[in-house]
Amino acid sequence: MMSRKLIDESREGYLDNENSPFLISNYGYGKDSVKVMHVVRNGLVHTIKEFEVGTKLKLRSQKDYLEGDNSDIVATDSQKNTVYLLARKHGLKSPEEFGILLCHHFLSKYSHVEEVSIHIEEYPWSRMGFGTGPYKDLHNHAFVFTPTAIRYTDVTQKRTEIKPTVISGLTDLRVLKTTQSAFVNFVNDEYRSLPDQHDRIFSTVVRSSWQYSTVTGVDFDYCWNKVKQCILNNFAGETEKGIFSPSVQNTLYLAEKQVLETIPEISSIDMTMPNKHYFTFDFSKFPKVVNEVELKEETVYVPVDKPAGIIYAQLDRKSDQYVKSKL
């Protein structure tokens, strides 16, 4: 989630003409938004996976930029074709596994490729279900788009590295609870106008990314679903009474802490929770229209999404603090 430094003072990979006052400090090229769907027809029961893939290659030479020499370029159209060919040959399982496969292919196929970066988003298709309760029938070949959260991964590998770096994440996980949230006892000075809120609506749109310390034997689907479950558990709590949140900061930290406690393959996790405010409407100005006493169990809120507070934190294992710059 952190922005790349605009100036790289180390100037690694500097290949410009020694007499030039300029240098190419960062470069690469690739194909964005390659949409691919893989369908498995196992008798009457069919399964699907749909990804949107972006590929980026960094070559050893910069002669394509400096001299207009295209002899080392693996065309972006060829990169697009590679996505479809590897999907047909190996299938689509998790975004992480396909990203690792693409990195290995480009590095092993083209000796002049120095670094590969793959970005993949998975489209959230779920099998249609009919009936009610846990015994509802799942359809054999019909699916519904269920964008509760968007799953993505970024897989990068340099030729000098023995294993890829895998950072996965989720975005657009919008949640809301109508009680068990407060915000009180914050700085009280001449700039403050917000009163203490002992019982408020808590709503946010969660974005999170996490880095794996290993890619061997990892069930990436399980890990992604477990991270999502940890976020929801610490936001909502048990079904009847829920869980109290004294601040967005505390809820965010508890979710990240549970992720690291339950998924040993994850070395670091980053999370952002912007406030989505719901302010009570002042009905005291309309006593002839609305009787607040009679409607004490009901109220109306005004949704306000801008401006919004933004809360974020990254939690690392103490032995893995070196990963901070990669999230």
Side-chain angles (χ1 to χ4, degrees):
M1 293 184 182
M2 299 180 182
S3 300
R4 179 184 63 83
K5 287 174 61 178
L6 185 59
I7 299 296
D8 182 2
E9 295 176 355
S10 67
R11 297 187 178 183
E12 293 180 359
Y14 169 71
L15 295 174
D16 203 351
N17 187 312
E18 291 182 0
N19 296 321
S20 172
F22 312 112
L23 60 87
I24 299 177
S25 60
N26 192 33
Y27 64 100
Y29 71 101
K31 200 75 164 181
D32 274 339
S33 304
V34 181
K35 296 185 177 183
V36 55
M37 173 179 279
H38 182 251
V39 179
V40 177
R41 294 180 173 89
N42 187 10
L44 294 177
V45 180
H46 301 172
T47 58
I48 64 171
K49 283 280 188 179
E50 185 175 359
F51 293 167
E52 186 169 318
V53 182
T55 63
K56 297 289 186 297
L57 304 182
K58 180 178 284 189
L59 307 183
R60 180 180 301 124
S61 167
Q62 296 175 340
K63 62 184 181 182
D64 46 340
Y65 291 91
L66 300 175
E67 303 168 12
D69 184 341
N70 299 333
S71 58
D72 282 347
I73 292 179
V74 181
T76 64
D77 191 66
S78 300
Q79 295 180 42
K80 176 205 68 179
N81 294 339
T82 300
V83 171
Y84 294 119
L85 292 170
L86 292 186
R88 180 63 181 89
K89 186 175 182 180
H90 300 278
L92 297 182
K93 297 176 183 177
S94 69
E96 293 83 358
E97 289 170 288
F98 194 57
I100 292 170
L101 177 66
L102 285 167
C103 280
H104 179 266
H105 168 83
F106 286 119
L107 289 173
S108 60
K109 176 70 174 175
Y110 306 104
S111 61
H112 59 291
V113 172
E114 288 294 290
E115 183 178 351
V116 183
S117 300
I118 305 296
H119 176 80
I120 300 176
E121 292 185 9
E122 179 173 359
Y123 283 28
W125 291 107
S126 297
R127 196 177 297 276
M128 281 190 184
F130 298 91
T132 58
Y135 303 105
K136 66 180 181 181
D137 295 325
L138 295 178
H139 203 284
N140 284 344
H141 57 261
F143 303 84
V144 60
F145 200 69
T146 54
T148 303
I150 302 300
R151 177 179 178 178
Y152 74 90
T153 192
D154 288 295
V155 183
T156 61
Q157 187 171 7
K158 296 180 180 179
R159 183 165 297 280
T160 55
E161 296 174 336
I162 60 175
K163 66 181 181 71
T165 297
V166 178
I167 297 175
S168 295
L170 61 82
T171 63
D172 300 333
L173 178 60
R174 184 157 191 170
V175 290
L176 180 151
K177 64 180 181 180
T178 54
T179 190
Q180 285 286 55
S181 174
F183 185 56
V184 300
N185 300 325
F186 49 96
V187 173
N188 188 9
D189 60 14
E190 66 271 25
Y191 295 97
R192 173 176 166 174
S193 61
L194 187 69
D196 281 347
Q197 300 176 60
H198 296 276
D199 187 15
R200 64 173 183 170
I201 288 179
F202 178 7
S203 181
T204 186
V205 182
V206 183
R207 177 183 176 91
S208 181
S209 63
W210 53 91
Q211 183 168 337
Y212 290 96
S213 56
T214 180
V215 296
T216 303
V218 179
D219 186 338
F220 293 107
D221 289 337
Y222 168 81
C223 291
W224 190 87
N225 284 296
K226 187 64 177 179
V227 171
K228 180 183 170 186
Q229 180 185 340
C230 289
I231 295 171
L232 296 179
N233 286 348
N234 285 278
F235 176 83
E238 53 87 23
T239 56
E240 185 174 347
K241 295 184 178 180
I243 184 173
F244 179 71
S245 171
S247 66
V248 179
Q249 285 87 336
N250 183 249
T251 297
L252 185 153
Y253 166 73
L254 292 176
E256 292 184 328
K257 180 172 175 284
Q258 187 178 23
V259 168
L260 295 186
E261 287 174 340
T262 56
I263 310 176
E265 297 91 345
I266 293 178
S267 57
S268 181
I269 181 168
D270 175 286
M271 198 174 298
T272 301
M273 289 186 175
N275 282 320
K276 297 297 180 182
H277 296 294
Y278 290 81
F279 296 126
T280 54
F281 184 83
D282 185 7
F283 289 102
S284 64
K285 300 176 181 178
F286 308 93
K288 295 182 180 180
V289 180
V290 175
N291 187 327
E292 284 289 278
V293 176
E294 293 178 356
L295 301 174
K296 63 180 180 179
E297 299 301 326
E298 302 177 22
T299 191
V300 171
Y301 292 85
V302 179
V304 178
D305 61 351
K306 295 178 182 179
I310 184 75
I311 294 88
Y312 61 91
Q314 178 169 313
L315 192 64
D316 304 325
R317 300 185 191 277
K318 287 185 177 180
S319 59
D320 295 313
Q321 289 184 352
Y322 71 91
V323 305
K324 287 192 294 184
S325 63
K326 294 200 173 184
L327 285 184

